[in-house]
Amino acid sequence: MNELIIGRYLPGNSWVHRLDPRTKFVLSLIFIFAIFLATNVWGYLLATIFTLLAVALTGLGFRVFLRGLRPLLLLMLITTVLQLFFVQTGTVLWHWWIFTITTDGLLSTGIMFMRFVLIIMFSTILTLTTPPLAIADAMESLMAPLAKIGVPVGELALMVSIALRFVPTLMDEATTIMNAQRARGMNFNEGNLIQRAKSYIPLLIPLFINAIKRAIELGDAMEARGYRGGDNRTKYRQLQAGPRDYIAYLAFALFVLLLLGTHWLPGMVF
Amino acid sequence: MDMAIHFEAVDFTYQADSPFATAALHDVNFTIPEHQFTAVIGHTGSGKSTMVQLLEGLLVPTKGVITVGDRQITPKTKKKELNQLRKHIGMVFQFPEAQLFEQTVLKDVMFGPKNFGQSDTEAQALAQQALRTVGMGPEFDQHSPFELSGGQMRRVAIAGVLAMQPEMLILDEPTAGLDPVGQAELMQLFARLQAEGNLTLVLITHQMDFVGQYADHVLVFDQGTVIKEGSPESIFADSDWLRNHQLDLPIAKQFADALAAKGMDLDHVLDLDQLTAQLARALKGGPHE
């Protein structure tokens, strides 16, 4: 359970750590869209170099990011392998029964995989270098204009920050319950798919019950201390963008422009 | 199965070789004698719970050897083999009521025995026997475990472990969060189980009164290692040393120490019964031994 990197924050004082969380949030979103601008080998090369550069700036080491990819590997493989068999254009390389592998299929599979890797790595940069509460703050600040049209921005941000806050707590709880059931002879990784799915019932039921209990207690505790959402709440920590953030935005603008430029480079177009 | 336990130079690091690596135990050496009541004390974060998970085979040591009876657990031991170990060791975690999940109390207690290969009828007999042992009458068998009070849930969860008929029982702060009467009742239950079933029992606790009253053998943990091991008399003999390690004395022993400071020496005082017996004798005017 503890091996999951997704959603974990690793404290540090790197250039990326010190960026305004809003900057990191917006830029991560932009990256996810920008990656679709890459249409040939040069585009992906550029995006990969850019990602590796950003990773280097976090000062956390490349291995941490690779570990972050590991739990999602299966999901990525299933999605990309489907792609492999569904794209039927191009030269046929291999054919058996209803399965056909073509050059186009192979190519789009590779691209899809690369996209996954880059997007996950970039979002991992955001979550590894930004405390969860700062992410929630950033979302609240970014959504602030929506409050004018009646979106309960404060409540939404609170929900997000509570959810993020309880991820580690629930993980710990899941580990404890899993241990308790293993001590009672439960094997979580044996048998066929149905047996395995069933074996999670003794974990999930207590986990849900505890989560609901916790939610009720938290609600009571907040009300007892007079919490009311919305209503012009002020923040102890003010978000402030500085020169560093402008540099980051500039670097991104340059990246997107270069990415657009790769369209005119010779090379296979996907 | 022989159930004595030895830890030899055991190290354990959580998430070794990762940025999250945290050393929990280092150079731990001790023995848990079989068929005895062993208490494990030490303040929060001293490594007690990690040690217990190693014992139960939920974790594998990073270094060193753990011997449980005729089995050895080393850093190379496969997870599969550890499941066999769990058959013989019953483990009651902190707040064990968090493990309840079935629709009825009886079914929940049958979960353990069934996992270890008992038939439905056998499991049911074992479950009913375990429930009666912890004082839950047949009227509760068909209740949902979530309708019970906190204390009753705790008992059902403990029955769930007892139903597996372990030769060794590990209890991680089993009385935390219960009222004083409930705590005393549970401890009496454990002491009775240990004596009647000739169990090897390991109790992790902060309550020195229970240690003084029931333990045969005591391990003291501090900063991830065992710093003292011995009989309760020898552990509680040096009150200054204990306070330096942020540990308390049993109340009876504190009282006896206060009397000793005033010049009244009592010996072998670890629980209230011993204290009152000796005081009664002393106050009658007879010379105490």
Side-chain angles (χ1 to χ4, degrees):
Chain A
M1 277 285 146
N2 282 325
E3 288 185 359
L4 229 59
I5 295 279
I6 320 161
R8 269 300 251 298
Y9 165 62
L10 282 185
N13 199 23
S14 73
W15 201 84
V16 181
H17 278 89
R18 282 176 290 163
L19 279 175
D20 188 305
R22 285 172 301 184
T23 311
K24 282 186 269 188
F25 192 84
V26 170
L27 293 182
S28 301
L29 270 180
I30 291 178
F31 184 85
I32 292 173
F33 289 109
I35 193 84
F36 290 95
L37 292 175
T39 49
N40 56 23
V41 178
W42 305 110
Y44 278 95
L45 199 66
L46 180 71
T48 309
I49 292 171
F50 190 72
T51 308
L52 290 180
L53 225 74
V55 166
L57 278 174
T58 64
L60 292 174
F62 191 61
R63 277 179 58 196
V64 186
F65 288 86
L66 283 187
R67 281 171 50 108
L69 286 174
R70 211 162 47 191
L72 294 170
L73 206 62
L74 189 70
L75 187 77
M76 278 158 45
L77 281 177
I78 291 172
T79 326
T80 48
V81 165
L82 281 179
Q83 185 82 357
L84 188 61
F85 291 112
F86 278 119
V87 177
Q88 302 280 306
T89 53
T91 325
V92 174
L93 294 175
W94 181 80
H95 182 84
W96 178 74
W97 192 36
I98 53 166
F99 300 109
T100 315
I101 294 180
T102 63
T103 42
D104 282 5
L106 214 56
L107 249 159
S108 60
T109 303
I111 290 165
M112 194 131 157
F113 193 77
M114 221 33 223
R115 249 181 224 159
F116 266 126
V117 170
L118 291 178
I119 289 175
I120 291 169
M121 278 189 128
F122 224 91
S123 352
T124 313
I125 294 180
L126 170 72
T127 53
L128 279 180
T129 63
T130 323
L133 285 180
I135 297 181
D137 275 353
M139 286 172 69
E140 185 177 5
S141 165
L142 291 167
M143 291 192 303
L146 295 178
K148 289 204 180 72
I149 55 165
V151 179
V153 173
E155 277 84 349
L156 283 175
L158 183 74
M159 276 162 63
V160 172
S161 51
I162 288 175
L164 289 171
R165 155 68 186 78
F166 278 98
V167 168
T169 313
L170 287 178
M171 295 275 250
D172 284 351
E173 217 153 70
T175 313
T176 313
I177 296 168
M178 233 162 144
N179 277 343
Q181 307 300 25
R182 277 158 73 193
R184 293 209 281 168
M186 184 83 251
N187 271 320
F188 282 98
N189 291 315
E190 259 172 33
N192 60 35
L193 200 65
I194 293 169
Q195 282 170 332
R196 276 191 197 201
K198 260 190 163 169
S199 77
Y200 278 86
I201 294 174
L203 168 67
L204 291 177
I205 290 180
L207 196 62
F208 277 127
I209 286 173
N210 281 350
I212 291 167
K213 264 192 204 149
R214 222 177 259 286
I216 295 171
E217 277 166 18
L218 183 69
D220 286 347
M222 285 171 70
E223 269 176 11
R225 286 195 273 171
Y227 179 86
R228 279 162 68 225
D231 298 7
N232 304 319
R233 297 180 67 82
T234 50
K235 289 258 185 262
Y236 175 62
R237 267 185 223 84
Q238 297 283 336
L239 296 177
Q240 197 123 45
R244 198 178 288 116
D245 298 281
Y246 303 129
I247 295 173
Y249 279 116
L250 267 174
F252 249 77
L254 198 67
F255 165 64
V256 174
L257 279 177
L258 280 174
L259 206 53
L260 283 170
T262 58
H263 285 250
W264 284 278
L265 283 175
M268 234 181 325
V269 175
F270 310 142
Chain B
M1 185 172 165
D2 163 42
M3 267 291 161
I5 284 170
H6 305 278
F7 271 50
E8 283 159 62
V10 172
D11 279 19
F12 183 78
T13 305
Y14 280 103
Q15 301 179 60
D17 307 319
S18 88
F20 306 107
T22 28
L25 296 177
H26 60 92
D27 196 23
V28 175
N29 295 283
F30 64 82
T31 302
I32 292 175
E34 60 178 333
H35 311 312
Q36 287 197 17
F37 195 126
T38 300
V40 180
I41 58 177
H43 61 91
T44 317
S46 57
K48 305 181 301 269
S49 294
T50 308
M51 179 278 281
V52 158
Q53 292 187 42
L54 284 165
L55 257 189
E56 167 74 5
L58 292 169
L59 300 172
V60 172
T62 322
K63 249 192 228 156
V65 183
I66 302 169
T67 320
V68 181
D70 50 3
R71 273 169 212 272
Q72 289 206 323
I73 309 176
T74 64
K76 291 195 182 67
T77 306
K78 295 268 182 304
K79 293 243 159 102
K80 277 250 163 83
E81 298 167 38
L82 294 172
N83 205 29
Q84 285 306 308
L85 194 67
R86 285 181 211 138
K87 215 184 249 187
H88 305 280
I89 303 180
M91 165 97 210
V92 177
F93 282 88
Q94 280 176 37
F95 301 102
E97 52 275 27
Q99 74 191 30
L100 301 174
F101 72 98
E102 269 287 7
Q103 289 160 18
T104 68
V105 165
L106 188 63
K107 272 192 193 166
D108 201 283
V109 178
M110 285 164 65
F111 178 70
K114 276 173 77 177
N115 278 331
F116 285 119
Q118 306 275 15
S119 72
D120 275 11
T121 22
E122 283 167 334
Q124 188 170 346
L126 287 170
Q128 278 165 335
Q129 191 193 335
L131 281 166
R132 304 307 163 255
T133 310
V134 298
M136 297 294 291
E139 66 274 20
F140 291 107
D141 282 3
Q142 299 307 322
H143 270 266
S144 157
F146 303 107
E147 291 169 350
L148 303 175
S149 74
Q152 288 169 329
M153 281 167 87
R154 177 82 50 104
R155 282 163 186 272
V156 171
I158 291 167
V161 175
L162 293 179
M164 298 185 293
Q165 299 198 298
E167 289 148 69
M168 176 172 181
L169 192 58
I170 308 172
L171 307 158
D172 194 350
E173 292 184 44
T175 58
L178 295 182
D179 60 87
V181 177
Q183 294 190 0
E185 279 175 8
L186 259 191
M187 283 310 301
Q188 276 162 18
L189 167 73
F190 294 138
R192 202 185 76 221
L193 278 171
Q194 193 271 324
E196 286 173 4
N198 211 10
L199 289 177
T200 307
L201 193 141
V202 181
L203 169 77
I204 297 185
T205 186
H206 289 294
Q207 277 160 309
M208 299 303 160
D209 291 337
F210 293 140
V211 179
Q213 201 172 351
Y214 297 112
D216 302 313
H217 189 72
V218 183
L219 306 177
V220 186
F221 267 79
D222 191 36
Q223 296 180 0
T225 194
V226 172
I227 48 170
K228 213 171 192 180
E229 176 180 7
S231 65
E233 284 86 359
S234 65
I235 299 287
F236 291 130
D238 192 348
S239 52
D240 290 335
W241 182 87
L242 278 168
R243 289 215 179 82
N244 282 337
H245 291 90
Q246 300 170 35
L247 294 167
D248 261 339
L249 286 169
I251 257 191
K253 177 71 175 152
Q254 285 179 28
F255 196 84
D257 283 353
L259 285 177
K262 295 275 181 211
M264 182 174 181
D265 281 319
L266 305 172
D267 49 42
H268 198 74
V269 177
L270 287 170
D271 66 43
L272 288 175
D273 287 345
Q274 292 169 349
L275 178 70
T276 44
Q278 292 204 38
L279 276 181
R281 214 173 318 151
L283 290 174
K284 268 184 202 148
H288 60 271
E289 62 268 78

